[in-house]
Structures are given as structure tokens and as C-alpha cells.
Amino acid sequence: MWPLDPSRKEVLRFAVSCRVLTLVLQALFNAFIPDHHAEAFSPPRLAPSGSVDQLVEGLLGGLSHWDAEHFLFIAEHGYLPANVFLAAGYSEALFALLTFTAMGQLERGRSWTSGLLFALATGVRSNGLVSIGFLVHSQCQGFFSSLLVLNPLRQLLKLVGSVFLSVLTLGLPFALFQYYAYTQFCLPGSAHSIPEPLLQLAVDKGYRIAEGNEPPWCSWELPLIYSYIQDIYWNVGFLRYYELKQVPNFLLAAPVAILVTWGTWTYVTTHPWLCLTLGMRRNKSDETREKPDPGFLSPRVFVYLVHAAALLLFGSLCMHVQVLTRFLGSSTPIVYWFPAYLLQHQEPLLRSLETVPWKPLAEDSPPGQKVPRNSIIGLLYNWKTCSRVTRCILGYFLTYWLLGLLLHCNFLPWT
């Protein structure tokens, strides 16, 4: 059973409190601020709403906008082919749960469990395919560490077999979905029946239905519906989003991009030899140290940093950049580890809170006032005395959270 030491209890309490506050605020924002009439997907409700449905809609309706409409529609009818997004009806929350749990299992040496969880994550979101790198890197580390004591040829064959099995396991969910889409759109008579109101919606909006003409991607050598939809309907492609009118969206994604880039630069300049050897060997001067680098600068973080940098590069060049924050926030812990590292190393007040957790907050604090157990709350109480880096980090996370709730819950542009 998970040992609930004081620090973990505080993390759990703080996480639950933030989620409850998120749900309360979205309900208030959704109730008192009129929805913006956005040209977004909004299917008709096919069944009459009962009292329970109306209650749920009133309490959680703010989380059912934008892309959540798609996911909720899929959950009810099947496919008709970084905080608010982790609370709303988006796939990022489940993907983050499976991905981060898989990473934790791999750190504990449970590669089979980790592989299964990574495969399930790939079934939720296709960018989980990139997680194959974690399994391959772990297998390569095991291969190089065993060369001096075991048969090299046998270990090489074992490595090849493990990599093949990992690729097959993580690629299977993606392949199955592509096959399902092919049967629905490309094989006559295989599509599910569609209710009349939804057919009318498709006609009004110009959506393609499974019973219509065969789409072009069915005749491709490799018929991937995912590539076709991203290209035709979303205009996703290399540098396609680099237009003057998209400057506000680039500004929205800039903070998380700066964090990942800054973290990558910090790590590479600290461990250049480790990075040149792809995380397999450390510098001799590093190996002679009594203790390894803790936290963010640990050699074990290398593979996570490569993963984050690859996602950032792909997302910046080939995606709608406004989704970069939730894309990275649900895929890599670097988005959380590096800000924590900055706070620990560049905030004097935080270091004092860690060493003397119950001293007064400041010299001018009221008599008897103590530092709260949660260090983040302590920094917020002492906002004016915090460093500029601390104010930027906390200000960004808090602003993104509140603005995301306010705008997303009322169909304003925050997707």
C-alpha cells in the first residue's frame, strides 16, 4: 500500500483541493457568463433530459465545450470518424494517468507492466507511440551493462527481440483503430446506422458520413485515416501554422515552450558527455562522485528530456501551437519537474521554508503566524518577497488555470 508520509499527504490534499476548486469555479463561470456563439461542433441531444441530466449539466456543463463535445459524442455514439483540459471531457486526463503510471512502473523495473500501460495510453492518444523510446532506451541500457559479464551475441538477440516486441505492443492499438476506420468507411455494408438528427447535422455542416462516397484515403497504399483527417480537416502539417494571424496562439504557447527549452539547455550544459552518449555513460569525473546528481539533473532524467524536446519540436513545427500546453502537460513530467527545480534553486524563501518549516513567514508577520505546510502556499503568502523567477512561474500557472476556466467554460477561444 502507498505509504502516506506527511509530504505525500500534503501533495494529495493540495491536488484534491485544486480539483474541487476547479469544478466549483467552472460551474460558477458557466452559470453567470453567457456562452460565446462559436462555430464549434455541437451535436443535437437525441434523448430528452431528465432531472438528473439537468443537474449534471448545471454542475459540470462548463467542461463539455470545444473538443469535449467530440469526446462525449464518441462516448455516447461511438466514432463518426495542462488544468482545465485535465478536468474537462478531453482524452488528455486518461492519457496522462496511463503514461505517467507507465513511467513510474518502468523506473521500478517493471518493464512488462510499463509496456502494457504505454500501449493503453497509445490507444487513448496516438502521440503515445513516441513512448516506445522509453522502453527501447531501458533495454539498451540493460544491453550495454551486461556486455562485460554475459554472452554478447545472446544479449544482442535478446535486445532485438525486446525492441521488436515493444514496437508491436505499442503499435497494435493504433493499427487496430486504423483497421476499424477502414472497415467503417472503405468496406461497403460495414458502417453502423446513424440516427436521423445526426445525419441532418452532417448535411448542414458538410461532414462526411460512413455511408457516403468512399474517401480518397481508402485507396492509399497505407490507408491511414488519421493522416487524412489531420491534413484535410485540421490543416495540420509542417509549418502550416506559421501565419501572421496565428501570432496570438504562438504567444499562448510560448511559456511552456520556453520552460522545456530552458530545461533542455540546463541539462545539456550540465551533462554534455552524458548527452553525447545518449544517456548510456557518464563523464569519468561524474562517476567518481559519491552521490549522483539529485532531482532534475539526475542521469535518469535524460530520456525524459529527450522525449519532451522531441514533442516540443514536433508540436512547434507541425501542430496547432495553441494546444502545445496541454499536449506537453499530459505527456511529459519535465513540464512540472523543471519549474520545481527552478523554485528549489532560485528561491531563497523556499529553501528557508524547507530547512525551518515552522518559522514565521516574515519579520512583519502577525505574532504567532506560521509557515503553512504547503510550500507553494507559503510562497503565495510572501508573493512580494519572492524572486522574479518564482513570480513568473507561479503567475503563469495560476493565470493559465484561471483564464482557462473562464474562457473554456463559455465557448471562448481556449482549446
Side-chain angles (χ1 to χ4, degrees), residues 156-269:
L156 179 60
L157 293 175
K158 181 180 178 181
L159 173 64
V160 173
S162 299
V163 170
F164 174 78
L165 187 60
S166 298
V167 173
L168 180 64
T169 302
L170 267 70
L172 184 60
F174 181 80
L176 289 176
F177 173 74
Q178 300 304 315
Y179 174 75
Y180 170 76
Y182 185 85
T183 62
Q184 294 296 299
F185 282 91
C186 305
L187 299 181
S190 300
H192 298 293
S193 61
I194 304 174
E196 185 61 33
L198 299 182
L199 286 174
Q200 187 59 46
L201 175 68
V203 172
D204 296 339
K205 297 289 187 178
Y207 300 149
R208 180 184 292 276
I209 60 175
E211 296 177 352
N213 297 327
E214 183 179 280
W217 62 270
C218 290
S219 58
W220 291 356
E221 292 185 4
L222 187 61
L224 297 179
I225 187 175
Y226 184 82
S227 302
Y228 177 79
I229 291 177
Q230 292 288 312
D231 179 27
I232 301 300
Y233 291 99
W234 292 100
N235 193 33
V236 171
F238 182 66
L239 298 184
R240 290 189 184 180
Y241 221 59
Y242 281 68
E243 300 175 316
L244 186 62
K245 65 180 181 180
Q246 302 298 345
V247 168
N249 287 322
F250 278 89
L251 294 177
L252 181 64
V256 71
I258 291 172
L259 281 175
V260 175
T261 304
W262 188 2
T264 303
W265 175 257
T266 300
Y267 194 92
V268 170
T269 54

Side-chain angles (χ1 to χ4, degrees), residues 71 132 135 139 144 149 163 201 296 312 326 331 339 351 362 387 399:
F71 293 114
I132 183 65
L135 297 174
Q139 291 155 359
F144 286 113
V149 294
V163 170
L201 175 68
F296 178 75
L312 174 62
R326 60 181 169 102
S331 305
R351 290 198 294 270
S387 67
T399 301

